[in-house]
Amino acid sequence: MAVSIMDFKPRLEQRFLRTGKPTPPLGRTLTLFDPPHRDILENMLSLGQPVGIMLFEIQDFYMFSRIYGQDVSDALAAAMEGELASLAREQVQGLPLVLLERLEGDKHLLVLGGVGLRREALTHTASIMRLNLRARLKREALNLTGQDLELAVGVARLQKGSGRRGLEQAMHTALADAHGMIRGTANPTAGGLLGEFRAVLETGGVRAVYQPVVDLRGGGIFAWEALARGPVGSTFENPAMLFGFAEENNLVFPLERACRAAALTGFGNPGSGRKLFLNVHPRTLVDPQFNPGETVRLLDSLGLEPHDVVLEITERHSTKDFSLFHRTLDHYRGEGYKVAVDDVGTGYSGLWSIAEIRPDFIKLDMSLVRGIDSNPVKRALIETFLTFSDKVGCKVVAEGIETPTELTSLVAMGVHYGQGYFLARPGAPRPELSPEAARLIVTGNRRSMAEFKCSAPIGGHADQAVQVQATANVGEVKRFLEQHPQVSSVAVISGRRPVGLVTRHQMDRVLSSQYGLALYTNRPVTRIMDSQPLIVDWNTPVEVVAQAAMNREGYKVYDHVLVTREGKLSGLASVQKILDALAQVQMELAKGANPLSGLPGNVAIEREMESRVGSGEPVSFIYADLDNFKVYNDSYGFKAGDEIILMASRIMAWALRRHGSPKDFLGHVGGDDFVLVTTPDRADRICRGITRCFKRLAPSCYGDEDRAAGYITGKDRSGKEGRFGFVSVSLAIVDCQGNCTLDSISHRSAEMKKYAKSRPGNVWVRDRRGPSGLIAAV
C-alpha cells in the first residue's frame, strides 16, 4: 500500500520516535506499515495518542469512468489528489502525523495523528475539507464532463491492537467503518456545521463585497457585482463553502435572501447610471419568498430603482422547469430588472439557453478570457460571442481579466465590459478602477479610433441645455414643456452636475397612464427622469459619441446626449447633429484615404508630417517598401498582390499597437509604400516587430512548389529574368528634431530606402548621422 509524504515536513515529536530512526527524505515513497511510519503509529497508539482516518471518494465514480472514459476519470482522480494535498497543508499541518495515500481509483486516505485530534474535531475537519474539496473540483468536473460531481467522506478512529498484524487489522477495521459511514449517507458530517450555518443566517453574518464591472469602450465603472462572503475567520468565510453547504442542505433560498439584503443594504448610492449585479441561483426565482415586491421595497428605501439592478443567473446550474422559469423571469423583466447570464462557456446551458433567456448581458467565463492575448482560438470564440450579442441585442462582459495584455486585447476586440483582479479586486466599500487599467482602456480606445484623427470634439456640436434642479417637481417641468413646444428634452442637474434627462415623450408616457397625474405631479422630477442618460465629456470625438448613442437601448437611441466640461453640464447634443457631424468627418477622411487599405492617404500623411515637424518634438519617420513585389504580382496576379499589401498594412498596424504610443500614425502612400510616424525611442522595436512578423507570414502567400524551392522566376523592373526570393519588407528610419523641413526628410528617406533595399531579406536601417533638424541647426 503506497503512500507519499506531503511536501511539508511532518512535525514529529521526539517522544513518538523511540526507534531513533531519522525522518525520511521529503517526497520519498514508503509503505504505510514499514518503518518509520509503523513505529510512529504503534508508538502513538501505545501511548494512547489518537490516530484517525478520513476516507474521501467521488460518488458514482464507476459511472463517470464508463460514460466519459478512463482518461477523464483519471484526470478527475488526479485533480482530487492534488487539491486534497493542498487542503491538508492548509488545515491539518499542525498535527505531528499527516499522511496522504491514494488507494484505488477515486478513493483517497488521509491519516492524522496527534494529541489535539479529538473525535469531534476529526468529524468537523472532514466536513470542512469535503466541502472545500468539492468546491475546488467543481470547475474541473464541469470542464471535463459538463456535469457536477458529489463527494463523500467517512471518518474513523484507529483502535489499539496487539501483535505484528495488530496495526494492519486496526487500519482495515477503521477503513470498514469509514466505508460504512459513506454508504449510510452522502453527507454524514454536515450535522455539526448546521448550527453554525444557521447562526450565520440568523445573526446577519453574511456580508457583501463589490467588484466593478468596467466599461471597456468608455473607461468608467458601469456597475458593481455584489459578492457574498461569510463571517471573517469562520468556516463559511469562503463563498464556495457557504453556497456548497447551502445547496447540499436545501438552504439556498434563505441564504440568497440574506445575500440580497446584505448586497442592497451595503451598496449605498452608486451615482447616476451605475448598476448593481446580484447573483441569483436559478431555483431561487421560483422561491415563494423571492418576489419583486419585497426587493422593490428595499430598493425604494435605498433610493434605487429596479432598472438599477441586474439579476445575474449562473449557467452552471441546470434549470429543470424552463416554462416556470421563463414566466417568472418575464415577470421580473416587466418590473424593470435587467438579466445577465453568468459563466458562459461552461456548465449546462450553452447558446440554446442564452437564446431562450434573452439576457441583457452575457458574462464570459474566465476560462475563455485567460490567455486571450496569445490564443487565436479563444479570440475567435469571443469574436463569435460579440457577433452573437449584436444579433440578439445584448452586451458582453469578460470576466477574470488579470493581466494588462488580456485587457488591451479585449479593448481592441471591442468587448463591451470587463471584470477582474487587474481592473479592481472585490472590496467594501465599493472599490474604484485601478489607474493603470483606466490608462490602458483609454489608450486602447484611442488606438482603435486612430483613423479618425481629423474628428472634431462633440462639444462643438452641442446646443445650450434647458435644465432644472433635481429638487424640481414633475408638475413644474410639465408646465414648462407645455409653454415651450420647441423643447424636447430637459436636463436634470444637482448643483451643476447632470444626474438625469427628461424627454417630452417619456413624460407623456408616464403621465398618460392611469392615475399618472395624481401619482407624479407633486413628486420630484427624479422619480420619472432617465437616471442613466448618455453623458460624455466635451472633448470626446464625434464618432465615439455616435457609436455610444447607437449602442443604447432601442427606446433611447434618439434621446439627447448630455455634454459636460470638468463634470459640469455644458450642453445637449441631438442625435441628428451628431450624425451630420460624423458624415462630414467621414467625407473628409474619404478624400485622403487609400482605397485598398483604407489607411490615411497622401493628404493626411502630409498633414501629419507637418504637424509633427512643427511641434519641435523628436519624431521618427519610418518608410516601408516591399521587395520583389513586382515579380510576385506578375506571377500570382493583382488580387494576390493586393492581399500581400493588405497583409503588410495589418502587420504594421499591429506593430504600432504593440510597440508604439497612442499618438503614432500609419499612412499608405500608394502601391507597396507606407509611412509610419512614431517617437525615436520606439522606432527600432516597431521595425523589429514588422520584419519578424512579415518574414514568418510571407511564405504562406506562395504555392507549395515555390515555397519548397524558396524562390520564383520572373522579370524585374528592368525586364531582366532571374530567380527572386520571397517578398520582403525594407524599412528606413529617419529621425527629425528641431528645424526640419519636409524636403530634407524626403531627401534623407530616399537615401536610406535605397540603402535598405540593397540589403537582402527583411531589414531595417537607421540614419546614423543624427536627427535632421539638429544637423541643419549646426
Side-chain angles (χ1 to χ4, degrees), residues 404-628:
T405 50
E406 287 173 356
L407 174 61
T408 53
S409 297
L410 293 165
V411 170
M413 293 170 66
V415 174
H416 305 104
Y417 303 107
Q419 195 174 355
Y421 282 178
F422 181 72
L423 302 176
R425 288 180 173 269
R430 299 187 306 269
E432 293 296 329
L433 177 62
S434 75
E436 173 66 8
R439 182 187 65 79
L440 290 176
I441 293 171
V442 171
T443 300
N445 280 296
R446 284 177 179 169
R447 286 178 178 172
S448 66
M449 300 304 295
E451 65 270 25
F452 294 107
K453 283 182 175 288
C454 302
S455 175
I458 186 61
H461 304 280
D463 297 319
Q464 186 175 0
V466 175
Q467 52 193 340
V468 298
Q469 288 291 331
T471 53
N473 63 44
V474 174
E476 293 171 346
V477 178
K478 178 178 181 296
R479 286 190 292 274
F480 176 85
L481 291 175
E482 289 173 345
Q483 295 167 6
H484 300 82
Q486 74 280 8
V487 176
S488 60
S489 298
V490 176
V492 182
I493 59 174
S494 177
R496 293 183 59 188
R497 297 181 179 276
V499 296
L501 182 73
V502 177
T503 62
R504 183 182 293 276
H505 68 82
Q506 177 189 14
M507 176 168 282
D508 291 343
R509 179 177 59 81
V510 172
L511 297 184
S512 63
S513 63
Q514 189 176 18
Y515 309 121
L517 280 171
L519 285 173
Y520 292 106
T521 297
N522 295 318
R523 293 288 190 95
V525 71
T526 53
R527 296 304 298 265
I528 69 164
M529 73 179 184
D530 175 9
S531 61
Q532 303 175 61
L534 179 57
I535 303 176
V536 299
D537 184 79
W538 198 94
N539 292 307
T540 306
V542 167
E543 58 279 357
V544 175
V545 180
Q547 184 182 47
M550 292 300 103
N551 283 333
R552 290 182 291 184
E553 295 168 283
Y555 68 92
K556 295 169 62 172
V557 165
Y558 295 103
D559 289 358
H560 279 76
V561 176
L562 283 73
V563 180
T564 62
R565 231 175 185 167
E566 297 180 353
K568 300 172 183 177
L569 183 64
S570 174
L572 292 177
S574 69
V575 172
Q576 184 62 55
K577 277 201 168 186
I578 294 171
L579 295 179
D580 289 345
L582 180 61
Q584 185 63 35
V585 168
Q586 292 175 331
M587 286 176 61
E588 292 296 326
L589 288 172
K591 293 178 182 177
N594 184 279
L596 174 60
S597 65
L599 292 171
N602 289 321
V603 174
I605 293 173
E606 186 173 343
R607 183 184 301 164
E608 181 70 19
M609 293 181 69
E610 288 176 345
S611 173
R612 292 297 187 96
V613 169
S615 70
E617 296 179 359
V619 60
S620 292
F621 300 101
I622 304 173
Y623 291 84
D625 188 12
L626 299 184
D627 306 315
N628 299 328

Side-chain angles (χ1 to χ4, degrees), residues 594-597 600-602 605 624-625 645 667-675:
N594 184 279
L596 174 60
S597 65
N602 289 321
I605 293 173
D625 188 12
I645 289 174
H668 190 173
V669 177
D672 58 340
D673 292 317
F674 297 85
V675 175

Side-chain angles (χ1 to χ4, degrees), residues 78 289 328 344 346 708 762:
Q289 297 189 48
T328 310
V344 172
T346 63
N762 295 277

Side-chain angles (χ1 to χ4, degrees), residues 24 31 43 57 62 82-83 112 123 143 145 158 212 225 227 273 297 314 408 445 457 504-505 550 553 643 724 726:
T31 301
N43 285 335
E57 68 174 52
Y62 173 74
E83 294 295 350
L112 309 173
T123 302
N143 288 340
T145 68
L158 265 68
E225 179 182 356
L227 303 169
R297 285 191 293 274
T314 179
T408 53
N445 280 296
R504 183 182 293 276
H505 68 82
M550 292 300 103
E553 295 168 283
E643 288 175 353
F724 298 88
F726 296 148

